[in-house]
Amino acid sequence: MPKFCGKCGSALNDNGFCPKCDSDKIAESNENMVDISFGGNDEVAKNVDYGVQNGTPGISKKEIKAKEKAEKATLKVKRKCTQKTDKIIAKANQKAEKKSEKSAAKIMVKTENKVKTVADKYNQKAEAKAEKVTRKVMRSTGQKIKWFIIKFVIILLAAAILLSAITGVLVYFNVVEIPFVSNIFCSFGITNNYGEISVYEYLNYNIVSNSSEGNKISAKAYYNKYSEILSETNLNDSSNVLTESDAFKTFQSYGFTDCIIMTEYSQTGDFVGTSTDIEPFSETKHPVYKSCYVDINGDIWDLYLINDVLMAEPVSFNYENNFSLVISNSDSLMSYDDETNTFYQTNPKSSVIKVKTLSEFNPENLQKLIAEEGAN
């Protein structure tokens, strides 16, 4: 029979304390319970609901939260189960209505077994879901930190993979130009635009465009499309245009002593066709000098000396590999446009023309470089 407080009339708890008048005694009782049950562990006691109203310890807050979340999770599974079984029963009823009583009974027996199987399956899912949710809620602080770090690392890796994939696609289709990525593609033989334009076309654009009705864009538009333009210098403003004498000395200083030097432009920069009437001591200037030689392996090379930049194209290598490689003694390429008498210093897109720089530019090192490229 319940007892009541003689002072305020409130019902006494199981220990005979009034929740209003004896609050101090109830608090003292709770403290004693912490010491007995948890050895005075404040971390554990913090998660416990002691039922201040009746002075008896209850279940932990974590357990309450876990139970609530588990019930919520299983409720979703049960709803799906109900929807599934309702459909099965409705379909069976429709089918049974068209059958005889005996056949209908068989259908309902089969349906009952099917519903039981489905219900068992969903019950297993619900139990697994509840266990998973409970385990997650009941994790300690250390476990939560551990799982947070693991998830964070997984998300970072996934983001890095996705970003790499997007970058690769953009570089492959020339939407963006990232030489580092293009070089990786090249090393694995993954290329998209090598062979789209030739080295000869790139260095002598308007010679080719003037002979091709379908290619009439300006040189500037062409180099904007296929490269980064570093500088534009008019022929008359350039201090690096070489004389025929300078051209002879330059080719010889780099080890090309037996080559025939040619030019295709006049002193004023107009295209006049190929000429080999170059004098070793002439002070006549030309914007472009060309030469050709065959190395000891029988491979053909084209040499270009444009506004004091020396470049070599391994013609045989490029032809055999459908490649566009240029070796330069500078970290960029130099081209000449005879329509505007302009030198273009450019960095071609690495997906279109691959540029290699040689500080010690000579036939031996050119052959070594090509051997390395072939090995890769």
Side-chain angles (χ1 to χ4, degrees):
M1 182 175 177
K3 297 179 181 180
F4 300 91
C5 178
K7 295 179 182 179
C8 65
S10 299
L12 302 179
N13 64 18
D14 293 341
N15 294 331
F17 296 133
C18 173
K20 292 182 179 179
C21 303
D22 300 322
S23 57
D24 293 340
K25 294 180 180 179
I26 292 173
E28 184 180 352
S29 174
N30 287 339
E31 288 176 3
N32 292 334
M33 287 181 182
V34 171
D35 292 336
I36 294 169
S37 302
F38 306 106
N41 190 328
D42 293 337
E43 179 67 25
V44 177
K46 206 163 49 174
N47 289 320
V48 177
D49 176 13
Y50 293 105
V52 176
Q53 296 299 322
N54 56 24
T56 58
I59 63 174
S60 71
K61 292 179 181 179
K62 273 190 176 182
E63 289 174 334
I64 294 173
K65 187 177 180 181
K67 186 178 179 182
E68 290 174 350
K69 284 189 173 288
E71 287 176 353
K72 189 175 180 180
T74 54
L75 185 61
K76 290 181 181 179
V77 178
K78 288 177 181 178
R79 283 175 184 167
K80 288 182 180 179
C81 178
T82 302
Q83 292 172 357
K84 183 79 173 177
T85 53
D86 285 349
K87 286 181 181 179
I88 294 171
I89 293 169
K91 189 175 180 180
N93 286 334
Q94 290 176 357
K95 194 174 180 180
E97 287 176 0
K98 301 175 183 179
K99 302 291 182 179
S100 63
E101 186 176 342
K102 188 175 180 181
S103 297
K106 289 181 179 180
I107 290 172
M108 296 314 294
V109 170
K110 288 182 180 179
T111 302
E112 185 179 348
N113 292 333
K114 190 174 182 180
V115 167
K116 186 177 182 302
T117 302
V118 171
D120 289 342
K121 181 181 177 182
Y122 275 94
N123 281 334
Q124 290 175 0
K125 283 186 177 180
E127 289 175 5
K129 190 79 174 175
E131 185 180 349
K132 183 179 179 181
V133 170
T134 302
R135 190 166 56 247
K136 185 177 179 181
V137 174
M138 295 301 291
R139 285 174 187 160
S140 65
T141 303
Q143 289 175 324
K144 287 180 180 178
I145 293 173
K146 174 186 172 183
W147 280 105
F148 173 79
I149 293 172
I150 291 173
K151 285 183 178 180
F152 183 72
V153 171
I154 291 173
I155 291 171
L156 278 182
L157 288 174
I161 292 170
L162 179 62
L163 183 62
S164 299
I166 293 172
T167 302
V169 171
L170 293 177
V171 170
Y172 183 80
F173 289 103
N174 292 324
V175 178
V176 295
E177 173 69 8
I178 304 176
F180 172 72
V181 178
S182 297
N183 290 337
I184 293 175
F185 281 178
C186 292
S187 65
F188 286 98
I190 305 171
T191 58
N192 188 38
N193 294 105
Y194 287 128
E196 179 181 340
I197 62 173
S198 68
V199 174
Y200 180 78
E201 173 186 318
Y202 188 86
L203 300 179
N204 302 270
Y205 172 66
N206 271 312
I207 296 177
V208 178
S209 66
N210 287 336
S211 62
S212 174
E213 292 298 326
N215 194 6
K216 287 292 185 181
I217 65 173
S218 68
K220 186 168 184 176
Y222 176 86
Y223 291 119
N224 272 325
K225 178 180 179 181
Y226 291 113
S227 70
E228 175 192 4
I229 298 177
L230 302 178
S231 68
E232 301 173 48
T233 308
N234 187 271
L235 173 64
N236 297 323
D237 297 330
S238 175
S239 59
N240 297 321
V241 180
L242 301 178
T243 64
E244 293 180 4
S245 176
D246 292 332
F248 264 99
K249 292 176 183 177
T250 300
F251 278 109
Q252 288 183 349
S253 67
Y254 283 106
F256 304 101
T257 55
D258 299 325
C259 298
I260 297 175
I261 301 174
M262 300 169 283
T263 184
E264 296 173 322
Y265 300 95
S266 67
Q267 188 166 358
T268 57
D270 299 320
F271 179 70
V272 294
T274 303
S275 172
T276 57
D277 297 329
I278 307 299
E279 298 293 335
F281 304 104
S282 172
E283 294 301 310
T284 302
K285 293 183 177 182
H286 302 278
V288 178
Y289 295 92
K290 291 181 62 180
S291 187
C292 177
Y293 83 99
V294 179
D295 64 22
I296 58 174
N297 295 323
D299 294 327
I300 301 171
W301 292 77
D302 277 345
L303 301 174
Y304 299 86
L305 182 58
I306 304 177
N307 204 27
D308 86 348
V309 177
L310 183 60
M311 296 159 287
E313 179 196 1
V315 178
S316 300
F317 177 84
N318 284 348
Y319 177 78
E320 291 169 2
N321 296 279
N322 191 31
F323 209 57
S324 296
L325 172 66
V326 182
I327 299 99
S328 174
N329 68 345
S330 171
D331 56 1
S332 57
L333 298 186
M334 187 68 70
S335 305
Y336 177 70
D337 168 31
D338 66 298
E339 285 192 352
T340 59
N341 291 342
T342 302
F343 292 106
Y344 286 94
Q345 182 187 6
T346 62
N347 276 332
K349 291 183 177 180
S350 55
S351 58
V352 177
I353 291 180
K354 186 175 183 180
V355 179
K356 287 284 187 177
T357 303
L358 270 182
S359 55
E360 296 183 14
F361 199 100
N362 56 56
E364 292 76 17
N365 287 336
L366 288 175
Q367 284 179 248
K368 289 179 183 177
L369 190 149
I370 286 300
E372 292 172 1
E373 286 293 317
N376 293 332

